[in-house]
């Protein structure tokens, strides 16, 4: 049997179906392409080698989920700020739409001076 390079080591156990991690299967229908450095790839492969995940995809989805959970307070604050920003954009849009409805008035004093 040939020696596996570090990238192939995490791919040894093919054929098992479903995630091995205790959280159970979750619908993951969205694809995100991401580039990672060698150190992070090594950590993802370690998760696979631990036997808890069937693929890099499962391991990476787990890490993303855990990262979002650990920063939930920040995401809550961001959602609040995004809502405020959207409210200001809506106000600005309404203001511009209202101004566009008004007939243009020409300043009579500048016309008379010429």
């Amino acid at each position: 049997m040939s020696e596996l390079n570090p990238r192939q080591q995490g791919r040894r156990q093919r054929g098992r179906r479903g995630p091995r991690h205790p959280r159970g299967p979750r619908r993951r229908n969205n694809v995100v392409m991401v580039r990672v450095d060698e150190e992070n790839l090594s950590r993802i492969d370690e998760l696979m080698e631990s036997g808890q995940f069937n693929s890099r995809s499962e391991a990476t989805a787990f890490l993303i989920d855990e990262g979002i959970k650990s920063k939930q307070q920040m995401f809550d604050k961001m959602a609040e700020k995004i809502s405020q920003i959207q409210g200001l954009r809506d106000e600005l849009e309404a203001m511009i739409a209202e101004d566009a409805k008004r007939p243009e008035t020409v300043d009579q004093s500048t016309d008379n001076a010429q």
Side-chain angles (χ1 to χ4, degrees), residues 12-31:
R12 283 187 281 200
Q13 297 178 352
R14 291 268 186 216
R16 287 185 62 166
R17 302 193 89 198
R20 291 176 236 169
H21 195 267
R23 289 180 191 254
R26 290 180 59 183
R27 286 184 72 105
R28 293 186 299 127
N29 295 327
N30 301 298
V31 175

Side-chain angles (χ1 to χ4, degrees), residues 21-40:
H21 195 267
R23 289 180 191 254
R26 290 180 59 183
R27 286 184 72 105
R28 293 186 299 127
N29 295 327
N30 301 298
V31 175
V32 176
M33 300 285 291
V34 62
R35 294 181 186 275
V36 297
D37 61 26
E38 289 295 323
E39 182 179 348
N40 289 332

Side-chain angles (χ1 to χ4, degrees), residues 29-86:
N29 295 327
N30 301 298
V31 175
V32 176
M33 300 285 291
V34 62
R35 294 181 186 275
V36 297
D37 61 26
E38 289 295 323
E39 182 179 348
N40 289 332
L41 181 62
S42 176
R43 296 296 184 194
I44 291 166
D45 286 343
E46 286 173 6
L47 283 173
M48 286 181 48
E49 288 183 37
S50 74
Q52 298 302 303
F53 302 95
N54 289 324
S55 65
R56 286 178 173 170
S57 177
E58 285 179 10
T60 304
F62 166 78
L63 290 173
I64 291 169
D65 190 52
E66 289 299 309
I68 290 171
K69 286 177 185 174
S70 74
K71 295 293 184 180
Q72 189 59 52
Q73 190 174 21
M74 179 191 70
F75 280 105
D76 292 344
K77 288 179 183 178
M78 281 191 334
E80 184 180 325
K81 295 297 180 187
I82 290 168
S83 178
Q84 291 173 1
I85 290 168
Q86 188 57 51

